[in-house]
C-alpha cells in the first residue's frame, strides 16, 4: 500500500459550517461521451476534477481528441478524434467507458474496446448495452478480452429493456442520436443523470422527448453542434456529506444542493432524527438530534433510495444505538464495508440481501481499507465519528468520485488529512 494512498482522521468532532458541492460525476461522464458526436469543441462547466473524469479524458485523448481545462471548465475538441479502439488499460478502470461504443459506431461505423471494469460491487453485466446496440443493427463479436462492433449505418428502432439500467439507457440515447430516424426506448432509467444527458444532447441540436419518464423518444441522424452546459451538483456527494454530519451529530449548510434529487435520502435522514430546511436555495441540515435506528431502508432505482448512498448510510447507522436494517436491491455484492465497520466496533450481520446493523455509542478508531468508491467514503464517515485516530487506506478509490474529500471535510471542521509521508501521530498533533 502506497503511503500516499491513505487518509489520517482524528474522530469525535461534530461537523459544522458551509460546503459547496462539486459537479456530478454521473452526469459529467456521459456528457463527455456525447461530446464525441461533434467534430468540434464542447464545454462542460463546473466539471469535477476526479479520477473517473480524468480517465474518460485520457480515453478521449487516446481517440484523438484535444482537451484542456480553464479552472473547472473542461473543453473537449473532438475535431481530430479519428481512432476507433479503446484499450483495456482504460476500460478496466472504469465501467462507464462502455457508453462510448454507440458514439464511436455513429461516428465511424466501427469500434472495439476492452471489457469494462470498475468498482467491485457486483457483476453489473453489459448485456443490456449489447442488446440495445444490436437493435440498432450493430454486429457485435464478444472475444476473450475485448468487444468488436460494426454497423455500416445505424437505424432508428424500438428498444424494450427487461430491467431499468442507467448505463444501458445512456447507451441507447447516445446511439440513437446518430441513428437515422426515430428511436423509442422503453423501460428507461429515470435517474437525474439521464435527464442531464438529454438536456446536453438537446443543446447539441438533437430532438429528444420523455427524459425522466419510462419512455424516451429520440430523433437522430441530423447534424449536431457543440454542447455547452453547466454540470449539476453531485447528489451522491451531497448525500455523503449529510451522512458525515449525521454520524458526527453536526450541523451543515449546503450552498448548492441538487434540489429535488435528495428526497428519498432526506426521508431516511428525518427518520433518524435529522432536521432540515430549505432556505433561499440552500439546504440547512441539523443532525444534533440524530439518535433513532431505522427499521428498514431499501435501495431502489430512482426515485428510491440510491444504492450509492447505502454504504455511507450504513456508517451512520453504526453510530446509532439500536437495530437498523438495510436491504440492497440493486447490486448483489455491496456489503463489503460491513467487515471494516465491525472492526471499528459496529455489529453488522449480513443475511442475503439484508444487513442488520446494531449501532454503538462510540466507534473506535483503527486502520481500515477501502475496496471501492462509496465504501471508502463510508469509512471516512465512520472514522470521523470514532474515538481516536483512524487510517483509511485506498484513497485512490475515493478520488474516483470525490475531488478532495479531505479538504471538504476540513472546511467543516473535521480533523482529516491526506498522508504526507509523516506518521499519523505527527499529523494528528497538528490539529
Amino acid at each position: 500500500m502506497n503511503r500516499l494512498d491513505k487518509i489520517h482522521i482524528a474522530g469525535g468532532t461534530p461537523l459544522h459550517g458551509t460546503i459547496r458541492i462539486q459537479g456530478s460525476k454521473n452526469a459529467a461522464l456521459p456528457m463527455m461521451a456525447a461530446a464525441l458526436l461533434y467534430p468540434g469543441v464542447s464545454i462542460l462547466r463546473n466539471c469535477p476534477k476526479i479520477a473517473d473524469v480524468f480517465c474518460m479524458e485520457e480515453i478521449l485523448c487516446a481517440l484523438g481528441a484535444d482537451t484542456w481545462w480553464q479552472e473547472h471548465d473542461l473543453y473537449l475538441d473532438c475535431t481530430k478524434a479519428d481512432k476507433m479502439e479503446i484499450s483495456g488499460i482504460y476500460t478496466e478502470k472504469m465501467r462507464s467507458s462502455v457508453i462510448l461504443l454507440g458514439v464511436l459506431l455513429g461516428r465511424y461505423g466501427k469500434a472495439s474496446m476492452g471489457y469494462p471494469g470498475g468498482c467491485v460491487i457486483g457483476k453489473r453485466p453489459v448485456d443490456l448495452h449489447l442488446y440495445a446496440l444490436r437493435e440498432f443493427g450493430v454486429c457485435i463479436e464478444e472475444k476473450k478480452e475485448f468487444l468488436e462492433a460494426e454497423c455500416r449505418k445505424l437505424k432508428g428502432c424500438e428498444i424494450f429493456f427487461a430491467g431499468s439500467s442507467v448505463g444501458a439507457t445512456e447507451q441507447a440515447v447516445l446511439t440513437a442520436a446518430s441513428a437515422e430516424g426515430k428511436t423509442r426506448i422503453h423501460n428507461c432509467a429515470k435517474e437525474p443523470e439521464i435527464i442531464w444527458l438529454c438536456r446536453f444532447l438537446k443543446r447539441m441540436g438533437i430532438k429528444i422527448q420523455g427524459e425522466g419518464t419510462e419512455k424516451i423518444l429520440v430523433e437522430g441522424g441530423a447534424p449536431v453542434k457543440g454542447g455547452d452546459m453547466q454540470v449539476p451538483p453531485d447528489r451522491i456527494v451531497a448525500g455523503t456529506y449529510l451522512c458525515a454530519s449525521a454520524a458526527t451529530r453536526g450541523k451543515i449548510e449546503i450552498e448548492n444542493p441538487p434540489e429535488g434529487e435528495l428526497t428519498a435520502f432526506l426521508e431516511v435522514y428525518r427518520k433518524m432524527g435529522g432536521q432540515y430546511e430549505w432556505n433561499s436555495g440552500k439546504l440547512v441540515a441539523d443532525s444534533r438530534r440524530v439518535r433513532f435506528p431505522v427499521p428498514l431502508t431499501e435501495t431502489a432505482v430512482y426515485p428510491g433510495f440510491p444504492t450509492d448512498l447505502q454504504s455511507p448510510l450504513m456508517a451512520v447507522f453504526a453510530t446509532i444505538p439500536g437495530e437498523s436494517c438495510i436491504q440492497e436491491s440493486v447490486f448483489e455484492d455491496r456489503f463489503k464495508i460491513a467487515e471494516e465497520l465491525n472492526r471499528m466496533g459496529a455489529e453488522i450481520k449480513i443475511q442475503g440481501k439484508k444487513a442488520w446493523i446494531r449501532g454503538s455509542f462510540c466507534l473506535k478508531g483503527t486502520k481500515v481499507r477501502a475496496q471501492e468508491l462509496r465504501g471508502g467514503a463510508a469509512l471516512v464517515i465512520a472514522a470521523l465519528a470514532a474515538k481516536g485516530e483512524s487510517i483509511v487506506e485506498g484513497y485512490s478509490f475515493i478520488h474516483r468520485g470525490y475531488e478532495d474529500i479531505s479538504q471538504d471535510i476540513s472546511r467543516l471542521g473535521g480533523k482529516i488529512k491526506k498522508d504526507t509521508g509523516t506518521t499519523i501521530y505527527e499529523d494528528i498533533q497538528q490539529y
Side-chain angles (χ1 to χ4, degrees):
M1 174 66 66
N2 186 336
R3 287 180 66 92
L4 302 184
D5 196 35
K6 305 174 184 177
I7 298 178
H8 296 249
I9 299 167
T13 301
L15 300 186
H16 288 277
T18 301
I19 191 75
R20 187 168 186 82
I21 303 301
Q22 67 186 57
S24 168
K25 168 178 105 75
N26 292 333
L29 293 176
M31 288 182 191
M32 292 176 73
L36 196 60
L37 291 169
Y38 175 64
V41 178
S42 292
I43 309 170
L44 300 186
R45 304 187 186 278
N46 188 41
C47 192
K49 292 184 175 182
I50 55 176
D52 273 14
V53 165
F54 295 148
C55 183
M56 182 67 87
E57 184 183 7
E58 285 185 36
I59 293 174
L60 292 176
C61 289
L63 292 171
D66 291 320
T67 67
W68 65 93
W69 292 82
Q70 291 184 9
E71 298 296 333
H72 271 75
D73 296 344
L74 175 59
Y75 289 73
L76 304 160
D77 184 353
C78 297
T79 304
K80 299 178 181 178
D82 57 0
K83 306 292 191 303
M84 294 167 276
E85 299 179 7
I86 304 176
S87 168
I89 295 174
Y90 297 117
T91 59
E92 68 183 9
K93 296 178 183 178
M94 188 175 63
R95 178 167 294 273
S96 57
S97 58
V98 72
I99 62 175
L100 287 164
L101 260 181
V103 179
L104 288 172
L105 286 163
R107 185 157 173 167
Y108 306 114
K110 289 183 179 181
S112 66
M113 67 185 305
Y115 280 100
C119 284
V120 185
I121 56 171
K123 295 177 181 178
R124 298 203 289 178
V126 296
D127 294 5
L128 291 178
H129 290 258
L130 303 187
Y131 153 72
L133 290 171
R134 288 183 171 119
E135 292 300 294
F136 285 102
V138 179
C139 295
I140 302 172
E141 190 172 351
E142 300 179 55
K143 298 191 175 181
K144 185 177 180 181
E145 296 182 354
F146 62 96
L147 296 168
E148 212 167 64
E150 184 173 355
C151 184
R152 187 169 296 178
K153 195 173 188 65
L154 296 170
K155 295 284 188 179
C157 60
E158 198 142 5
I159 295 172
F160 296 88
F161 284 124
S164 176
S165 165
V166 174
T169 300
E170 291 169 346
Q171 182 80 265
V173 169
L174 286 166
T175 309
S178 299
E180 187 179 88
K182 295 181 179 180
T183 298
R184 292 178 175 83
I185 311 165
H186 301 265
N187 198 19
C188 297
K190 301 176 185 177
E191 270 73 1
E193 295 78 29
I194 303 295
I195 298 173
W196 290 108
L197 171 61
C198 290
R199 288 178 181 175
F200 185 70
L201 289 170
K202 284 181 177 181
R203 294 199 177 186
M204 297 181 75
I206 297 163
K207 295 181 180 179
I208 302 177
Q209 299 175 25
E211 63 271 23
T213 72
E214 291 183 354
K215 187 167 107 174
I216 297 176
L217 172 65
V218 183
E219 293 185 50
V224 297
K225 58 185 178 181
D228 186 338
M229 189 164 175
Q230 185 92 357
V231 178
D234 194 308
R235 63 192 176 99
I236 304 303
V237 172
T240 298
Y241 293 157
L242 289 171
C243 282
S245 171
T248 62
R249 310 302 191 262
K251 182 179 180 180
I252 68 171
E253 179 181 90
I254 297 178
E255 288 185 349
N256 61 331
E259 292 192 51
E261 299 180 10
L262 290 171
T263 303
F265 171 83
L266 289 173
E267 178 61 22
V268 177
Y269 179 74
R270 183 189 59 79
K271 291 178 181 178
M272 292 187 287
Q275 298 175 311
Y276 66 91
E277 64 175 354
W278 299 93
N279 187 0
S280 301
K282 298 179 181 180
L283 175 61
V284 181
D286 188 343
S287 303
R288 291 174 293 182
R289 296 181 183 178
V290 166
R291 63 181 183 276
F292 302 108
V294 180
L296 179 63
T297 303
E298 183 176 1
T299 65
V301 297
Y302 191 83
F305 190 91
T307 183
D308 279 351
L309 286 176
Q310 180 254 98
S311 294
L313 181 66
M314 184 181 288
V316 179
F317 284 163
T319 72
I320 300 175
E323 188 171 79
S324 298
C325 179
I326 298 175
Q327 180 168 320
E328 176 55 59
S329 303
V330 179
F331 293 122
E332 76 283 352
D333 193 19
R334 207 164 196 174
F335 288 141
K336 291 181 178 294
I337 194 67
E339 184 178 346
E340 297 297 286
L341 290 176
N342 284 343
R343 295 182 62 237
M344 300 182 75
E347 185 182 332
I348 303 172
K349 295 181 180 179
I350 308 300
Q351 296 179 341
K353 294 183 178 181
K354 290 185 177 180
W356 301 90
I357 305 107
R358 183 169 294 279
S360 166
F361 278 106
C362 189
L363 299 176
K364 59 184 180 181
T366 187
K367 182 185 287 187
V368 289
R369 180 174 176 271
Q371 300 181 62
E372 43 88 14
L373 168 56
R374 307 304 175 184
L379 290 177
V380 171
I381 292 169
L384 288 167
K387 182 180 180 180
E389 303 106 359
S390 295
I391 299 176
V392 178
E393 298 181 332
Y395 172 74
S396 56
F397 285 107
I398 300 172
H399 186 51
R400 286 191 56 211
Y402 300 81
E403 277 196 8
D404 194 336
I405 198 170
S406 297
Q407 184 179 79
D408 286 345
I409 295 296
S410 292
R411 286 173 178 162
L412 297 173
K415 298 176 180 178
I416 178 171
K417 189 174 183 179
K418 284 183 288 188
D419 201 316
T420 59
T422 56
T423 70
I424 182 171
Y425 303 105
E426 291 169 330
D427 282 338
I428 296 300
Q429 285 172 4
Q430 297 180 28
Y431 294 136

